[in-house]
Amino acid sequence: MTGHEIDTDLKPGGFQLETFFPYLVRVFYSDVTRALSDIYQRDYGMTPAEWRVMAILGSSAEGMQASEIVFRSSMDKVVVSRAVKRMEERKFLKRNANAADGRSYLLSLSDTGRAAFEDLAPKLMAVEKQMLDGLEDDEIQVVLAAMSKIRGNLAVSEPATEV
């Protein structure tokens, strides 16, 4: 370990939810999501999944397959599929035949979706700026590096092959 000893004593008082890292991350995630969703839900009635799909498509110059959105968003394919369906119904995105693979479609923002994205992105970036207020650039980099290390620690490795 790196100086962060973990108390595995499960006697009464040995486990404290309020200091349990996964719990704190969940609370943090909820706070961040709520701060952002207040804007896209209020302005466009969008869910977090719909905003993520919009953000991914909005930052792409070309259309992309739903499978790429699943990969880039870390959302389940069913969640992405429902978000795409609702966004199509609301005319935020369009589906075009994929010239490279006639069996699939490329999704992209429609003009309506692009206008919504261009309206929302600066508002959400302002919330991000507010979240990071008071943090120095090097502090932000430390947080991002720690997050990356933690995700690496959680990466599932391939099972070892027996020889």
Side-chain angles (χ1 to χ4, degrees), residues 6-17 20:
I6 297 179
D7 183 3
T8 57
D9 180 6
L10 296 181
K11 292 182 283 201
F15 176 83
Q16 299 296 319
L17 181 63
F20 187 54

Side-chain angles (χ1 to χ4, degrees), residues 157-163:
S157 60
E158 292 295 318
T161 20
E162 294 183 9
V163 182

Side-chain angles (χ1 to χ4, degrees), residues 11-152:
K11 292 182 283 201
F15 176 83
Q16 299 296 319
L17 181 63
E18 297 79 18
T19 59
F20 187 54
F21 181 74
Y23 171 75
L24 294 171
V25 169
R26 178 67 177 117
V27 170
F28 180 80
Y29 171 80
S30 293
D31 291 344
V32 169
T33 299
R34 187 174 22 263
L36 297 172
S37 67
D38 283 351
I39 295 170
Y40 54 73
Q41 285 179 345
R42 175 196 68 212
D43 292 2
Y44 291 94
M46 296 174 72
T47 65
E50 290 169 299
W51 163 248
R52 257 196 248 173
V53 169
M54 179 176 277
I56 289 167
L57 292 174
S59 60
S60 173
E62 300 175 10
M64 67 179 61
Q65 294 179 340
S67 59
E68 177 69 11
I69 295 170
V70 168
F71 176 76
R72 291 188 59 194
S73 70
S74 75
M75 293 187 293
D76 182 78
K77 63 183 177 181
V78 173
V79 173
V80 169
S81 178
R82 287 181 185 146
V84 164
K85 182 177 186 224
R86 186 153 185 259
M87 291 175 72
E88 276 186 294
E89 290 168 355
R90 298 182 65 210
K91 309 289 188 228
F92 283 149
L93 64 80
K94 57 188 175 183
R95 198 182 284 256
N96 297 307
N98 184 352
D101 177 2
R103 299 169 297 156
S104 66
Y105 293 93
L106 294 177
L107 302 170
S108 59
L109 293 180
S110 64
D111 290 342
T112 301
R114 174 67 53 193
F117 174 73
E118 289 175 2
D119 177 53
L120 285 171
K123 293 174 184 177
L124 297 174
M125 289 168 61
V127 173
E128 177 193 41
K129 186 175 191 287
Q130 178 186 359
M131 285 179 202
L132 299 175
D133 188 41
L135 294 173
E136 300 295 329
D137 288 343
D138 60 330
E139 292 174 308
I140 294 167
Q141 292 310 311
V142 167
V143 170
L144 295 176
M147 290 168 62
S148 181
K149 278 186 180 180
I150 292 166
R151 288 195 74 211

